[in-house]
Amino acid sequence: MNTPIRPRGLVSKQPTTSDDVAAASLDDADPSPQSGEAAPKAGTPEDATDAAQKLSPLERWKKNLKAAELSEDRANAILDAIISKGYYEQDYKLLHGRLRVRFRTRSASTLRRVGDALDQVNTNDPRVHNQVMGRLLLIDSLAGYNRTTFVFPPVSAPMDEQQMALKARADAVDALPAMVYETLMATLSRFDIQVAAAFSEGDVEGF
Protein backbone atom coordinates (compact mmCIF):
# COMPACT_ATOMS: atom_id res chain seq x y z
CA MET A 1 0.00 0.00 0.00
CA ASN A 2 5.11 6.30 -3.03
CA THR A 3 9.18 15.96 -2.37
CA PRO A 4 11.14 18.54 -1.55
CA ILE A 5 11.84 15.14 -0.15
CA ARG A 6 8.54 13.57 -0.91
CA PRO A 7 7.35 10.47 -2.68
CA ARG A 8 6.72 11.17 -6.32
CA GLY A 9 3.21 10.64 -7.52
CA LEU A 10 1.65 12.00 -4.35
CA VAL A 11 -0.97 14.65 -4.71
CA SER A 12 -1.26 17.81 -2.70
CA LYS A 13 -4.39 16.56 -0.97
CA GLN A 14 -3.25 14.40 1.92
CA PRO A 15 -4.26 10.73 1.41
CA THR A 16 -5.67 8.80 4.33
CA THR A 17 -3.47 5.72 3.89
CA SER A 18 -0.56 4.60 1.76
CA ASP A 19 -2.92 2.51 -0.36
CA ASP A 20 -4.86 5.68 -1.18
CA VAL A 21 -1.71 7.04 -2.81
CA ALA A 22 -1.46 4.11 -5.20
CA ALA A 23 -5.20 4.02 -5.83
CA ALA A 24 -5.23 7.71 -6.67
CA SER A 25 -2.41 7.16 -9.15
CA LEU A 26 -4.41 4.41 -10.84
CA ASP A 27 -7.46 6.66 -11.04
CA ASP A 28 -5.39 9.33 -12.81
CA ALA A 29 -3.72 6.95 -15.24
CA ASP A 30 -6.18 7.16 -18.16
CA PRO A 31 -4.25 7.00 -21.44
CA SER A 32 -4.09 10.11 -23.64
CA PRO A 33 -5.79 10.03 -27.05
CA GLN A 34 -3.63 9.00 -29.98
CA SER A 35 -2.25 11.64 -32.30
CA GLY A 36 -4.85 12.73 -34.83
CA GLU A 37 -7.77 11.56 -32.70
CA ALA A 38 -10.17 14.03 -31.23
CA ALA A 39 -10.09 14.17 -27.47
CA PRO A 40 -13.36 12.99 -25.93
CA LYS A 41 -15.59 15.64 -24.51
CA ALA A 42 -15.57 15.94 -20.77
CA GLY A 43 -18.58 14.29 -19.22
CA THR A 44 -20.20 14.57 -15.88
CA PRO A 45 -19.12 12.45 -12.88
CA GLU A 46 -22.35 10.53 -13.35
CA ASP A 47 -21.30 9.64 -16.92
CA ALA A 48 -17.97 8.28 -15.66
CA THR A 49 -19.72 6.25 -12.97
CA ASP A 50 -22.19 4.81 -15.47
CA ALA A 51 -19.35 3.84 -17.82
CA ALA A 52 -17.43 2.11 -15.04
CA GLN A 53 -20.52 0.20 -13.94
CA LYS A 54 -20.92 -1.20 -17.45
CA LEU A 55 -17.60 -3.04 -17.12
CA SER A 56 -17.53 -6.47 -15.53
CA PRO A 57 -15.36 -6.97 -12.42
CA LEU A 58 -12.77 -8.77 -14.55
CA GLU A 59 -12.74 -5.95 -17.09
CA ARG A 60 -12.27 -3.35 -14.35
CA TRP A 61 -9.37 -5.35 -12.92
CA LYS A 62 -7.70 -5.72 -16.31
CA LYS A 63 -8.13 -2.00 -16.95
CA ASN A 64 -6.36 -1.23 -13.67
CA LEU A 65 -3.54 -3.64 -14.54
CA LYS A 66 -3.05 -1.93 -17.90
CA ALA A 67 -2.91 1.49 -16.26
CA ALA A 68 -0.25 0.19 -13.85
CA GLU A 69 1.70 -1.55 -16.66
CA LEU A 70 1.31 -4.87 -14.87
CA SER A 71 0.81 -8.24 -16.53
CA GLU A 72 -1.89 -10.61 -15.33
CA ASP A 73 0.73 -13.25 -14.48
CA ARG A 74 2.58 -10.82 -12.25
CA ALA A 75 -0.62 -9.57 -10.67
CA ASN A 76 -1.56 -13.15 -9.80
CA ALA A 77 1.93 -13.75 -8.39
CA ILE A 78 1.50 -10.70 -6.15
CA LEU A 79 -1.89 -11.93 -4.96
CA ASP A 80 -0.60 -15.45 -4.28
CA ALA A 81 2.46 -14.22 -2.36
CA ILE A 82 0.54 -11.85 -0.10
CA ILE A 83 -2.22 -14.37 0.59
CA SER A 84 0.15 -17.29 1.24
CA LYS A 85 3.13 -15.55 2.91
CA GLY A 86 1.66 -12.25 4.05
CA TYR A 87 3.97 -10.16 1.86
CA TYR A 88 5.36 -9.75 -1.64
CA GLU A 89 8.92 -8.71 -2.55
CA GLN A 90 10.38 -7.43 -5.80
CA ASP A 91 13.95 -6.66 -6.85
CA TYR A 92 14.96 -3.60 -8.86
CA LYS A 93 18.19 -2.61 -10.61
CA LEU A 94 18.51 1.17 -10.64
CA LEU A 95 20.94 3.78 -11.94
CA HIS A 96 22.17 1.63 -14.83
CA GLY A 97 22.57 -1.42 -12.60
CA ARG A 98 24.75 0.33 -10.04
CA LEU A 99 22.11 0.07 -7.32
CA ARG A 100 20.08 -2.97 -6.38
CA VAL A 101 17.15 -2.73 -4.03
CA ARG A 102 14.38 -5.01 -2.89
CA PHE A 103 10.97 -3.69 -1.86
CA ARG A 104 8.48 -5.50 0.31
CA THR A 105 4.80 -4.88 0.87
CA ARG A 106 3.97 -3.42 4.27
CA SER A 107 1.86 -4.65 7.15
CA ALA A 108 -1.00 -2.82 8.84
CA SER A 109 1.42 -1.66 11.56
CA THR A 110 2.86 0.82 9.05
CA LEU A 111 -0.50 2.57 8.77
CA ARG A 112 -0.63 2.94 12.55
CA ARG A 113 2.86 4.40 12.73
CA VAL A 114 2.19 6.77 9.83
CA GLY A 115 -0.96 7.98 11.57
CA ASP A 116 0.88 8.47 14.86
CA ALA A 117 3.67 10.39 13.12
CA LEU A 118 1.26 12.68 11.28
CA ASP A 119 -0.57 13.40 14.53
CA GLN A 120 2.70 14.75 15.94
CA VAL A 121 3.36 17.10 13.03
CA ASN A 122 2.39 20.62 14.05
CA THR A 123 1.46 21.79 10.58
CA ASN A 124 -1.22 21.25 7.98
CA ASP A 125 1.28 21.65 5.14
CA PRO A 126 0.69 18.64 2.83
CA ARG A 127 4.32 18.77 1.69
CA VAL A 128 5.48 18.10 5.24
CA HIS A 129 2.89 15.35 5.63
CA ASN A 130 4.09 13.71 2.40
CA GLN A 131 7.70 13.93 3.55
CA VAL A 132 6.92 12.27 6.89
CA MET A 133 4.75 9.60 5.32
CA GLY A 134 7.18 8.89 2.48
CA ARG A 135 10.07 8.32 4.83
CA LEU A 136 8.10 5.83 6.94
CA LEU A 137 6.81 3.99 3.88
CA LEU A 138 10.35 3.58 2.58
CA ILE A 139 11.61 2.40 5.98
CA ASP A 140 8.95 -0.30 6.12
CA SER A 141 9.41 -1.30 2.46
CA LEU A 142 13.19 -1.54 2.16
CA ALA A 143 14.02 -5.24 2.33
CA GLY A 144 17.39 -5.04 0.60
CA TYR A 145 19.92 -2.40 -0.43
CA ASN A 146 22.89 -3.57 -2.48
CA ARG A 147 24.49 -6.29 -0.33
CA THR A 148 22.52 -5.49 2.81
CA THR A 149 19.42 -7.52 3.62
CA PHE A 150 17.03 -6.18 6.24
CA VAL A 151 14.93 -8.36 8.50
CA PHE A 152 11.25 -8.03 9.32
CA PRO A 153 10.55 -9.88 12.58
CA PRO A 154 7.02 -11.27 12.99
CA VAL A 155 4.61 -9.46 15.28
CA SER A 156 5.09 -12.31 17.76
CA ALA A 157 8.80 -11.49 18.11
CA PRO A 158 10.00 -9.68 21.26
CA MET A 159 9.52 -5.92 21.08
CA ASP A 160 13.24 -5.17 21.38
CA GLU A 161 13.93 -7.40 18.36
CA GLN A 162 11.30 -5.56 16.34
CA GLN A 163 12.68 -2.18 17.40
CA MET A 164 16.24 -3.15 16.47
CA ALA A 165 15.13 -4.24 12.99
CA LEU A 166 13.15 -1.03 12.55
CA LYS A 167 16.09 1.11 13.68
CA ALA A 168 18.44 -0.64 11.25
CA ARG A 169 16.15 0.17 8.33
CA ALA A 170 15.54 3.73 9.54
CA ASP A 171 19.28 4.39 9.92
CA ALA A 172 19.90 3.08 6.41
CA VAL A 173 17.18 5.29 4.90
CA ASP A 174 18.33 8.39 6.79
CA ALA A 175 21.91 7.85 5.57
CA LEU A 176 20.93 7.76 1.90
CA PRO A 177 22.23 10.50 -0.39
CA ALA A 178 19.39 12.85 -1.28
CA MET A 179 19.33 11.93 -4.96
CA VAL A 180 19.36 8.20 -4.19
CA TYR A 181 16.50 8.77 -1.77
CA GLU A 182 14.53 10.45 -4.56
CA THR A 183 15.25 7.54 -6.90
CA LEU A 184 14.07 5.00 -4.33
CA MET A 185 10.91 6.98 -3.63
CA ALA A 186 10.03 7.10 -7.33
CA THR A 187 10.59 3.35 -7.62
CA LEU A 188 8.60 2.64 -4.46
CA SER A 189 5.72 4.64 -5.91
CA ARG A 190 5.67 2.38 -8.99
CA PHE A 191 5.87 -0.70 -6.78
CA ASP A 192 2.92 0.46 -4.67
CA ILE A 193 0.84 1.32 -7.75
CA GLN A 194 1.33 -2.17 -9.16
CA VAL A 195 0.51 -3.89 -5.88
CA ALA A 196 -2.61 -1.73 -5.55
CA ALA A 197 -3.63 -2.66 -9.09
CA ALA A 198 -3.32 -6.37 -8.31
CA PHE A 199 -5.72 -5.91 -5.39
CA SER A 200 -7.86 -3.29 -7.10
CA GLU A 201 -11.60 -3.05 -7.38
CA GLY A 202 -12.88 -5.85 -9.56
CA ASP A 203 -10.53 -8.43 -8.11
CA VAL A 204 -12.07 -8.46 -4.63
CA GLU A 205 -15.37 -9.79 -5.98
CA GLY A 206 -13.57 -12.86 -7.25
CA PHE A 207 -14.77 -12.05 -10.77
Side-chain angles (χ1 to χ4, degrees), residues 21-189:
V21 175
S25 298
L26 284 175
D27 292 340
D28 294 337
D30 292 334
S32 301
Q34 297 295 321
S35 176
E37 295 181 358
K41 294 182 179 179
T44 65
E46 290 78 8
D47 292 337
T49 301
D50 291 343
Q53 289 176 345
K54 291 179 182 178
L55 297 177
S56 70
L58 178 58
E59 289 170 333
R60 291 197 301 272
W61 186 64
K62 288 184 176 181
K63 179 181 178 182
N64 290 335
L65 297 189
K66 183 178 180 181
E69 300 180 348
L70 182 67
S71 69
E72 290 185 41
D73 287 343
R74 247 232 8 265
N76 285 319
I78 292 172
L79 290 167
D80 290 341
I82 292 178
I83 291 171
S84 63
K85 299 190 299 182
Y87 64 89
Y88 168 75
E89 293 184 335
Q90 184 172 334
D91 294 321
Y92 293 90
K93 293 181 180 179
L94 307 174
L95 303 176
H96 306 286
R98 294 179 176 87
L99 177 61
R100 299 189 179 195
V101 297
R102 175 177 296 171
F103 286 138
R104 173 187 174 118
T105 53
R106 300 172 293 271
S107 68
S109 63
T110 302
L111 301 181
R112 174 183 53 79
R113 292 197 294 108
V114 167
D116 291 345
L118 293 179
D119 285 342
Q120 297 176 15
V121 176
N122 295 320
T123 177
N124 290 323
D125 187 339
R127 293 173 299 178
V128 176
H129 288 189
N130 286 341
Q131 178 180 355
V132 171
M133 182 171 69
R135 174 180 175 272
L136 291 177
L137 297 185
L138 183 56
I139 288 171
D140 278 6
S141 300
L142 191 61
Y145 183 83
N146 284 335
R147 296 183 179 180
T148 302
T149 299
F150 298 102
V151 298
F152 292 79
V155 294
S156 58
M159 185 57 64
D160 59 344
E161 181 180 341
Q162 296 185 46
Q163 291 299 323
M164 287 178 60
L166 178 61
K167 185 178 185 303
R169 299 196 306 272
D171 289 346
V173 167
D174 290 341
L176 290 172
M179 296 308 297
V180 173
Y181 179 93
E182 290 282 352
T183 299
L184 295 190
M185 289 308 308
T187 307
L188 179 59
S189 177

Side-chain angles (χ1 to χ4, degrees), residues 3-23:
T3 64
I5 324 183
R6 81 177 223 190
R8 299 179 187 175
L10 294 189
V11 294
S12 58
K13 182 179 178 182
Q14 179 61 32
T16 304
T17 70
S18 57
D19 290 338
D20 292 342
V21 175

